[in-house]
Amino acid sequence: DAHIKAEVGKPLHIQGEGEIKDLRLKGTDKVPALAGINATFKADNAGGQVQMHVQDSQFNYPQWFEAPMPIDQLDAKLSWQVLATGWDWQISDLAMRNRDLQVQGGGKLAMPLAKPLALDLKMTFSTQRVLDNVRQYIPSIVIDGTEKWLKTAIVAGYVPKGEFVLQGNPSDFPFKNKPGVFDIRFDIEKGILAYLPEWPEARDVKGELRFHNQGMSGKVKSARIMQLDVTGGEVDIPDMLGETHLLLDLRTKGDLQGHMDYLQTAPIGRKLRDFMQVAKFSGDSDLRLKLDVPLDAPVFEKKGVSVDGLVNLHQNTFAIPDYDQTFTRLQGQVHFDEVGVQTDKATADYRGEPITIKAV
């Protein structure tokens, strides 16, 4: 229902309201496809508002997501003002849910006549279960190397809470030399992190992850790797635009035999496997492991993974039973990297006598 009033010498005056049912957006490279839109609206020369409702549909936007995102229900209120300087949009009461997650929030969109558009969007989100399809929700707008790692590394997880902020012109992402903020942060519980191919995965991960403009950082509060307890750690991708590197720093504690089993299972410990068939270890120990992993495939093929590891010994026992060799009360540190293993000035008891060990 529209009313149009025209008088000579005066601006056209328009006023209208109406209802739309089952509207389908076909979608383009820049506009997502969405079906089943029902809405009521009111508008006049100064602005207007739309109350939108979508049910049992899907959000299809290949530029951001590799698979269509199912929508059980989506509600939002949009209002706008027509000013001399341009259009101002307000998004409020936005709520979306499906079987995996729920999202709430709102924001503003300024469309000035002589300047680039500016978006100010703030959302909160959480998952409704432990997701085993996390890759479906990782947006493709992150850099290729980082996107590939994220979609293979984060195998599963439950997100009790998360926040998303986007401020500025979206086309300027990731805002390296331009004003704007892209910030996603969320807690994760019951996670499974396959941080590197062929390395034992971390399970029962509890921590937090943050994407801020061109960088990514995360904290691991606790986890399990094989029989080891992860007591803390950090994961970082400092620059997703340049030569992207994954920096991983993990701290674990457990039985020394468990640490040795972990290391021989990883690619760097393959040459230790014959030795591990005859060697026996016991007693508590802790491990600090730092990895530097190039995420660009050509760089990875050329440089490989840089490893910096340190095992702290706490009154441990090391034995080679077939050769009747036993070292007890081992104290000190064992350092290893991608090349080899060494210890300097470790102490132990050997056949009842105190000794100092230097080994490579």
Side-chain angles (χ1 to χ4, degrees):
D1 183 16
H3 299 273
I4 302 173
K5 182 178 180 181
E7 294 183 34
V8 176
K10 294 184 179 181
L12 194 67
H13 182 76
I14 300 174
Q15 186 174 9
E17 60 182 297
E19 182 178 1
I20 297 173
K21 289 188 177 181
D22 201 25
L23 176 68
R24 180 184 300 269
L25 297 178
K26 189 174 182 180
T28 67
D29 290 342
K30 297 183 179 180
V31 177
L34 182 64
I37 302 172
N38 300 295
T40 58
F41 65 90
K42 293 182 179 180
D44 57 30
N45 289 42
Q49 64 182 31
V50 176
Q51 186 73 47
M52 185 174 69
H53 174 74
V54 179
Q55 194 158 355
D56 298 329
S57 183
Q58 61 182 19
F59 179 86
N60 192 5
Y61 195 24
Q63 187 174 347
W64 274 39
F65 300 101
E66 67 176 23
M69 182 184 299
I71 295 176
D72 290 350
Q73 185 170 320
L74 169 65
D75 292 282
K77 181 179 179 180
L78 295 90
S79 58
W80 69 92
Q81 285 184 297
V82 182
L83 307 173
T85 55
W87 289 48
D88 277 353
W89 290 78
Q90 180 97 23
I91 306 167
S92 58
D93 301 331
L94 189 151
M96 189 279 288
R97 63 175 175 82
N98 60 23
R99 67 181 296 266
D100 294 331
L101 76 163
Q102 52 188 10
V103 180
Q104 294 179 317
K108 299 178 181 179
L109 174 64
M111 302 175 66
L113 297 176
K115 296 179 181 179
L117 64 84
L119 180 65
D120 185 355
L121 186 64
K122 296 180 181 179
M123 313 287 289
T124 62
F125 60 91
S126 62
T127 64
Q128 305 196 100
R129 62 185 184 92
V130 176
L131 299 187
D132 53 9
N133 57 342
V134 177
R135 61 181 294 123
Q136 181 175 332
Y137 295 101
I138 296 175
S140 303
I141 58 173
V142 299
I143 308 304
D144 288 347
T146 304
E147 179 194 359
K148 182 179 178 180
W149 179 81
L150 288 170
K151 289 184 175 181
T152 56
I154 304 177
V155 179
Y158 168 67
V159 177
K161 62 177 180 178
E163 297 177 349
F164 169 60
V165 175
L166 179 59
Q167 296 174 337
N169 188 342
S171 63
D172 291 337
F173 172 82
F175 310 112
K176 185 174 183 181
N177 297 311
K178 296 183 179 180
V181 173
F182 173 84
D183 192 88
I184 301 177
R185 64 178 76 196
F186 56 90
D187 297 333
I188 187 168
E189 297 178 0
K190 304 176 183 177
I192 299 177
L193 181 65
Y195 48 94
L196 271 180
E198 300 185 68
W199 286 67
E201 63 187 16
R203 306 184 71 89
D204 295 326
V205 177
K206 183 177 182 180
E208 57 187 48
L209 199 62
R210 182 185 186 189
F211 297 85
H212 185 79
N213 289 359
Q214 66 194 69
M216 187 210 80
S217 61
K219 291 184 178 180
V220 179
K221 297 179 181 178
S222 63
R224 291 279 293 176
I225 300 179
M226 296 177 64
Q227 301 303 313
L228 304 174
D229 291 322
V230 178
T231 57
E234 290 79 37
V235 53
D236 292 281
I237 301 177
D239 185 0
M240 297 189 295
L241 296 181
E243 186 179 289
T244 53
H245 281 248
L246 169 70
L247 305 178
L248 188 69
D249 186 346
L250 291 178
R251 297 174 290 279
T252 68
K253 66 178 182 179
D255 187 84
L256 181 58
Q257 183 69 52
H259 277 117
M260 297 303 295
D261 289 341
Y262 167 59
L263 293 176
Q264 68 144 341
T265 303
I268 62 165
R270 285 173 179 166
K271 293 182 179 180
L272 292 173
R273 290 175 184 175
D274 288 342
F275 171 67
M276 290 294 295
Q277 296 301 312
V278 298
K280 304 297 181 184
F281 303 86
S282 63
D284 294 334
S285 61
D286 56 79
L287 165 68
R288 176 109 185 234
L289 179 65
K290 297 181 180 180
L291 302 176
D292 183 342
V293 186
L295 295 180
D296 296 321
V299 180
F300 181 85
E301 292 296 328
K302 183 179 180 180
K303 296 183 177 180
V305 179
S306 296
V307 180
D308 181 9
L310 189 67
V311 178
N312 289 295
L313 304 172
H314 306 296
Q315 302 287 322
N316 298 98
T317 297
F318 160 54
I320 308 177
D322 291 349
Y323 293 88
D324 192 26
Q325 300 295 318
T326 301
F327 300 85
T328 60
R329 297 173 59 82
L330 278 160
Q331 285 283 118
Q333 295 181 328
V334 180
H335 177 262
F336 63 92
D337 55 24
E338 67 275 14
V339 177
V341 184
Q342 66 180 28
T343 182
D344 189 16
K345 296 181 180 179
T347 62
D349 286 351
Y350 178 67
R351 301 192 184 283
E353 297 293 336
I355 62 169
T356 299
I357 302 174
K358 180 177 181 180
V360 178

